[in-house]
């Protein structure tokens, strides 16, 4: 196992994940919030729009949006979604 620096709080922890165990629930909560927000959009929102609409920090939005599994989940719920953020 490698020591990783948590992308949310910056603490060091030992795991294969990018997020420490303390932050994982927050990450999961924000991802589901972001997912329901994106599914409701009719036009492609900007990162700033998303941040304003969800209260999630832009750095975290960028991180979620670069997560292919997350985008797959969003697209599954909204088949015509075509975001390239
Ligand atoms: Zn953390």
């Amino acid at each position: 196992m490698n020591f990783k620096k948590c992308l949310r709080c910056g603490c060091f922890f030992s795991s294969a994940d990018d997020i420490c165990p303390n932050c994982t629930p927050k990450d999961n909560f924000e991802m589901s919030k972001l997912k329901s927000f994106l599914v409701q959009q009719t036009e492609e929102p900007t990162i700033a729009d998303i941040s304003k609409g969800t209260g999630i920090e832009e750095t975290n939005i960028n991180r979620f949006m670069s997560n292919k599994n997350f985008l797959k989940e969003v697209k599954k719920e909204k088949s015509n979604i075509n975001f390239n953020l």
Side-chain angles (χ1 to χ4, degrees), residues 6 8-11 20 22-23:
C6 174
R8 287 191 73 108
C9 70
C11 78
C20 77
N22 288 338
C23 293

Side-chain angles (χ1 to χ4, degrees), residues 7-8 19 27 58-67:
L7 292 176
R8 287 191 73 108
I19 301 299
D27 237 38
E58 294 191 16
T59 49
N60 288 326
I61 296 169
N62 282 318
R63 188 160 50 80
F64 299 147
M65 296 303 279
S66 61
N67 181 330

